[in-house]
Amino acid sequence: GSGGGRGRIPCAYEVEVPAHNKTVSALSLNPKGSRMITGGLDYQVRLFDFNGMTTAMRSFRQFEPVEGHTIMAIEYSITGSHFICAAGDAICRIYDLDAKPVQKTVKGDMYIRDTANTRGHTHMITDCHWHPNDKNTFITAGHDATVRIWDVNARAYGIDQALPMVHCLKAIDKRNMNISNCFVICCTYTNTEAKAIVGGCVDGSIQVWNEKKKYGKPDHVVRDAHASEVTCVKFTKDNTRLISRAQDDTMKLWDMRQLKSPVHTWGNLLNVNAAAKVNVGLSPDESLIFTGTSVDKRNKDGFIKFYSSSTYECVQSLTFANVGVTTTVWNDEINQLVSGHTDGTVRLNYDTSISQKGALLFIAKAPAKRRDDMVGFNEPVFQADNLPKIFKETRSGHLRKVKPRDAEREQKTKMPQKPSTMAGAEENKLSQYIAQRINKSTIKDEDPVEVLRAYAEKVEENPEFIGRAYTRTQPKAVLDYSMEESVGDQMLHEMPQCPRCGLKMCRCGYMQSQEPPSKQRKVG
């Protein structure tokens, strides 16, 4: 092909990357073609790095900008350092390369009648694009019938310190009125100097605003450009030709110097995706114009059709069985065709002779082998919430055997040792008896009165206690050791001591159970 393969379509091989669970609604590659970012109808945004990917084809970052909102548009900046995301609400968000939020735009006041008097969009944002030369400027289009210009370095506004708009461009309907029914679905800058901004509206009109100090209503309006909603507008590099795609199943080529009628119209290009807009694109040398097609009950296969920009004839068509094509990008650096589809996949088409990097970086790179600690693991498997006492879970998630003393320390109650019923019980009983005799406490078995009387002889021999006070007045001590014992005390002395609870008045019921039936008290 001419221009070192720039005009040839890189379609020799295809790689299918599983990106989303639902339709891919937005897709963008950074200028170098080393990273890809996708958004889908499953509310997720995924970031892919071709240098770090393997044949597993996993994204390195995934997040949900706004819960339950589909991704309408997404685009890398001209330097590739940031990207903007329109996530189905009235706020456009700016993220860095690691998907960390940097800034967001102001949400406008929907109760202000003149949309130019509020600092942001009042309804859902449908499209967003960076300025082709200025890395700090971008535009957004929304359902409030406006296109707004933003400056990243503008002074933040409000309690949220959000980004206010710089200019408001109003779209008009057939009565030349700016009402919210005239949704702006897509927008774009002219390709090189951004001398004009073009918006495609829901009523099929294309509206053009030329660069000026104060924007307002459009300078040019092609009222009946399409019969249905315009889903994409794109300029050629010389800024003289404009390509538009709409849901009336057509694609049209316009001359910006003569906007009354299209230069050429291509028909029978199915476009029925309501949420995911079908876009148009140009080959790096602009010799080819391409667009995707949707699927329905009659047309079950999706296509990417390539047309010559000079003869307007269909040069080639790529077929995708049973899936529709939503958004397609032909990156100049890697010379590969990347397309999003209705089954949630992103497909990279490339040719090894003319393409470089991109898919070629990871198609032959096998994923690293995981260190599987479970291989040859013959130990029992336990539930995480029902571990035995001898195991303990570490912070890293591994199991560690606990030492016996650790297990005892963690145990709240200790059970007494049960009597042995196995062989060798006699030896155990003997050892238990000896241990009990050695450690036996005799305080409970002793009579306190007899213990005190035993001190009488010691006092006579060595009267160091009370007897020393009576050595002169009463050399021979006369003590009355007789005591009157009551009937209750006599009965208590005669009663045996309970071997279980240790009390003479048994409370555990053991002594009563040992009595013969005739002596047992009848209850009731």
Side-chain angles (χ1 to χ4, degrees):
S2 60
R6 297 281 180 187
R8 280 172 52 190
I9 301 167
C11 59
Y13 303 98
E14 180 184 303
V15 177
E16 186 177 315
V17 178
H20 295 273
N21 299 325
K22 295 182 180 178
T23 301
V24 178
S25 56
L27 173 69
S28 178
L29 271 72
N30 66 344
K32 292 183 178 180
S34 60
R35 286 195 174 194
M36 175 176 70
I37 185 166
T38 63
L41 300 189
D42 59 354
Y43 321 134
Q44 302 293 321
V45 171
R46 288 177 180 265
L47 282 76
F48 297 86
D49 185 359
F50 295 144
N51 293 304
M53 282 172 67
T54 63
T55 50
M57 292 180 283
R58 295 190 183 95
S59 59
F60 74 89
R61 188 83 75 249
Q62 175 185 355
F63 70 100
E64 191 172 346
V66 187
E67 187 176 355
H69 287 64
T70 58
I71 311 303
M72 300 300 294
I74 207 160
E75 189 178 72
Y76 271 108
S77 64
I78 55 170
T79 58
S81 59
H82 295 82
F83 66 89
I84 48 175
C85 176
D89 61 349
I91 298 171
C92 187
R93 293 166 178 81
I94 307 172
Y95 298 91
D96 63 7
L97 289 180
D98 291 326
K100 293 179 182 177
V102 176
Q103 185 57 282
K104 63 180 181 179
T105 61
V106 171
K107 182 179 179 181
D109 186 353
M110 65 177 69
Y111 297 105
I112 295 177
R113 186 174 182 85
D114 188 356
T115 53
N117 291 335
T118 184
R119 290 179 169 85
H121 283 283
T122 58
H123 294 72
M124 182 177 76
I125 297 174
T126 54
D127 201 7
C128 54
H129 287 284
W130 289 96
H131 192 284
N133 301 322
D134 186 359
K135 64 179 182 179
N136 297 320
T137 307
F138 63 95
I139 55 172
T140 57
H143 277 190
D144 55 357
T146 63
V147 175
R148 295 176 190 261
I149 304 175
W150 310 82
D151 186 357
V152 174
N153 297 323
R155 186 176 180 182
Y157 170 78
I159 194 168
D160 292 334
Q161 289 294 288
L163 210 62
M165 67 154 197
V166 179
H167 296 288
C168 177
L169 290 62
K170 300 178 183 178
I172 56 174
D173 64 352
K174 292 180 180 179
R175 299 173 297 170
N176 286 341
M177 293 181 66
N178 173 242
I179 57 173
S180 59
N181 291 337
C182 188
F183 304 153
V184 183
I185 303 300
C186 56
C187 61
T188 188
Y189 275 108
T190 50
N191 227 331
T192 50
E193 297 179 356
K195 292 290 185 183
I197 295 171
V198 176
C201 300
V202 72
D203 60 354
S205 65
I206 294 174
Q207 308 195 15
V208 184
W209 294 266
N210 292 327
E211 187 181 31
K212 56 185 78 172
K213 288 185 178 179
K214 187 175 182 181
Y215 290 88
K217 292 183 179 181
D219 298 295
H220 304 285
V221 178
V222 186
R223 179 57 56 193
D224 298 317
H226 288 276
S228 184
E229 176 182 314
V230 182
T231 59
C232 183
V233 284
K234 188 172 181 65
F235 274 101
T236 56
K237 287 179 181 176
D238 59 2
N239 303 327
T240 58
R241 291 187 295 175
L242 175 74
I243 309 155
S244 62
R245 182 82 162 93
Q247 287 191 348
D248 59 358
D249 301 342
T250 63
M251 180 173 69
K252 296 185 179 182
L253 180 66
W254 304 84
D255 190 336
M256 291 299 291
R257 295 161 292 192
Q258 188 72 27
L259 280 171
K260 290 183 179 179
S261 59
V263 177
H264 190 79
T265 302
W266 294 273
N268 297 321
L269 299 170
L270 191 64
N271 185 356
V272 294
N273 290 324
K277 303 187 291 289
V278 176
N279 73 335
V280 295
L282 290 158
S283 61
D285 64 350
E286 294 195 345
S287 62
L288 297 172
I289 301 169
F290 60 87
T291 185
T293 63
S294 308
V295 291
D296 59 5
K297 292 181 179 179
R298 292 183 180 179
N299 304 280
K300 294 189 176 180
D301 294 341
F303 299 94
I304 298 178
K305 296 195 174 183
F306 297 85
Y307 298 93
S308 171
S309 58
S310 54
T311 61
Y312 313 131
E313 294 178 356
C314 183
V315 177
Q316 194 168 346
S317 179
L318 299 181
T319 307
F320 301 93
N322 301 320
V323 289
V325 183
T326 53
T327 177
T328 314
V329 177
W330 189 338
N331 187 271
D332 192 3
E333 283 288 326
I334 60 176
N335 200 20
Q336 295 177 25
L337 195 69
V338 186
S339 55
H341 297 267
T342 52
D343 62 348
T345 60
V346 174
R347 310 193 185 199
L348 288 82
N349 290 270
Y350 62 96
D351 192 332
T352 51
S353 59
I354 58 174
S355 302
Q356 60 178 353
K357 297 183 179 179
L360 298 169
L361 293 170
F362 64 86
I363 52 170
K365 190 190 293 184
K369 291 183 179 180
R370 292 179 60 188
R371 284 183 56 198
D372 201 344
D373 297 333
M374 300 299 289
V375 175
F377 186 77
N378 298 321
E379 296 293 326
V381 179
F382 307 106
Q383 290 182 352
D385 57 346
N386 191 20
L387 289 174
K389 296 291 184 183
I390 59 170
F391 287 107
K392 186 178 181 181
E393 188 176 3
T394 61
R395 288 186 178 180
S396 59
H398 297 288
L399 290 181
R400 181 175 68 86
K401 277 195 175 183
V402 185
K403 293 180 180 179
R405 62 170 177 268
D406 293 345
E408 288 176 10
R409 197 178 299 135
E410 291 180 1
Q411 190 175 350
K412 292 182 180 178
T413 58
K414 296 181 181 180
M415 292 287 290
Q417 188 177 3
K418 294 181 180 179
S420 177
T421 55
M422 300 171 63
E426 295 299 327
E427 292 87 348
N428 288 339
K429 286 182 179 178
L430 179 62
S431 61
Q432 288 175 9
Y433 174 75
I434 295 169
Q436 287 173 2
R437 294 301 297 173
I438 293 171
N439 301 322
K440 186 176 180 182
S441 175
T442 58
I443 296 175
K444 291 182 180 179
D445 301 330
E446 293 175 346
D447 188 359
V449 178
E450 296 296 329
V451 171
L452 287 173
R453 283 178 177 173
Y455 279 95
E457 297 176 358
K458 294 181 181 179
V459 170
E460 289 179 359
E461 296 173 1
N462 186 17
E464 61 181 11
F465 300 106
I466 300 172
R468 187 179 294 177
Y470 299 97
T471 51
R472 293 181 182 180
T473 58
Q474 196 175 10
K476 189 177 181 180
V478 180
L479 295 176
D480 186 9
Y481 290 105
S482 64
M483 58 182 293
E484 291 184 5
E485 209 168 20
S486 65
V487 179
D489 290 340
Q490 290 177 2
M491 290 178 64
L492 194 63
H493 278 300
E494 293 172 0
M495 287 179 66
Q497 190 176 6
C498 177
R500 275 197 180 174
C501 60
L503 301 174
K504 290 192 174 184
M505 297 288 289
C506 177
R507 292 185 180 181
C508 65
Y510 176 74
M511 297 295 287
Q512 294 177 7
S513 63
Q514 298 299 316
E515 293 179 357
S518 58
K519 290 188 177 182
Q520 288 185 8
R521 288 185 298 172
K522 293 183 180 180
V523 181

